[in-house]
């Protein structure tokens, strides 16, 4: 929160830290020579005030972002895989779309396939992969999809982002996965 005494761009920062408080209690009862001890653990929060934090005024992104700009800033790569052996008009396949990189991966929505008009897409499932220290390393989307036209491959999935190191818009794209087309009987 910015307080009246701070210069512009300086903020007071407060952090609430959850803690566990351990308390030993001795209960003496008249049950002979026995004394009972119990340990109680109670949660509570401690609020700490950090030293003043000066924030730079954020720079706006350059104008004219790509049409598929995802509002992501950082550096990203994308790969896809599937266990499907072929493609057929009436058969669903699932595609694993893995996005790695630096930036707020938790906010990323599922990248869209190129030539999406040739596919019936179901709502994707999403799984976040974190390191042992809790840092997000990747996001894996599982996309169920069915071709609605004859295609020769699982399409490339892509999204555009702003690379803050190079100060330009970039596109992360996976390679298409070539699969043979299998003719199916018409459903009556």
């Amino acid at each position: 929160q910015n307080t009246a005494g701070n210069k512009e761009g300086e903020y007071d920062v407060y952090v609430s830290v959850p803690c566990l408080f351990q308390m030993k209690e001795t209960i003496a009862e008249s049950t002979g020579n026995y004394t009972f001890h119990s340990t109680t653990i109670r949660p509570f929060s401690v609020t700490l005030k950090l030293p003043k934090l000066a924030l730079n005024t954020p720079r706006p992104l350059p104008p004219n972002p790509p049409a598929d700009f995802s509002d992501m800033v950082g550096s990203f790569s994308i790969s896809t895989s599937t266990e499907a052996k072929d493609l057929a008009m009436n058969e669903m396949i699932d595609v694993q779309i893995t996005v790695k990189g630096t930036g707020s991966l938790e906010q990323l929505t599922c990248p869209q396939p190129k030539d999406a008009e040739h596919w019936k897409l179901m709502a994707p499932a999403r799984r976040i992969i974190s390191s042992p220290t809790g840092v997000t390393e990747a996001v894996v989307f599982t996309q169920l999809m069915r071709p609605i036209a004859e295609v020769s491959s699982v399409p490339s999935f892509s999204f555009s982002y702003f690379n803050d190191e190079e100060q330009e818009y970039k596109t992360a794209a996976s390679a298409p996965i070539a699969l043979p087309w299998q003719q199916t009987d018409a459903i009556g």
Side-chain angles (χ1 to χ4, degrees):
Q1 79 195 92
N2 194 358
T3 57
N6 290 347
K7 297 180 209 166
E8 180 145 351
E10 285 189 1
Y11 296 85
D12 288 331
V13 177
Y14 295 88
V15 177
S16 181
V17 180
C19 301
L20 292 177
F21 174 70
Q22 188 172 359
M23 183 174 73
K24 277 191 172 177
E25 297 178 273
T26 302
I27 302 170
E29 294 196 17
S30 58
T31 55
N33 294 329
Y34 298 105
T35 303
F36 297 96
H37 297 279
S38 69
T39 302
T40 305
I41 298 177
R42 296 185 183 147
F44 72 102
S45 291
V46 174
T47 301
L48 304 172
K49 181 178 178 183
L50 299 180
K52 288 221 187 295
L53 178 67
L55 299 175
N56 295 331
T57 304
R59 293 183 304 218
L61 294 175
N64 304 320
D68 65 343
F69 178 55
S70 62
D71 289 332
M72 299 292 292
V73 176
S75 180
F76 303 94
S77 65
I78 184 171
S79 62
T80 53
S81 64
T82 184
E83 293 182 6
K85 303 294 182 219
D86 54 35
L87 298 169
M89 190 75 73
N90 300 314
E91 294 181 23
M92 296 289 273
I93 63 168
D94 72 19
V95 178
Q96 302 289 317
I97 306 151
T98 303
V99 180
K100 296 179 180 180
T102 59
S104 300
L105 283 169
E106 302 88 3
Q107 298 174 3
L108 183 65
T109 57
C110 187
Q112 292 300 301
K114 184 176 180 184
D115 300 329
E117 67 274 5
H118 297 298
W119 296 87
K120 169 73 175 168
L121 304 173
M122 303 299 137
R126 174 185 164 162
R127 182 171 46 99
I128 295 177
I129 298 175
S130 300
S131 71
T133 59
V135 175
T136 300
E137 294 180 334
V139 178
V140 179
F141 297 95
T142 301
Q143 176 70 70
L144 282 172
M145 51 198 301
R146 178 175 55 85
I148 56 175
E150 187 171 334
V151 293
S152 60
S153 64
V154 173
S156 170
F157 286 78
S158 66
F159 67 96
S160 292
Y161 61 93
F162 183 74
N163 185 303
D164 54 339
E165 290 180 7
E166 297 178 23
Q167 293 292 302
E168 64 182 353
Y169 292 104
K170 299 271 188 173
T171 298
S174 66
I177 302 171
L179 292 175
W181 181 258
Q182 175 185 336
Q183 293 295 334
T184 55
D185 294 332
I187 294 182

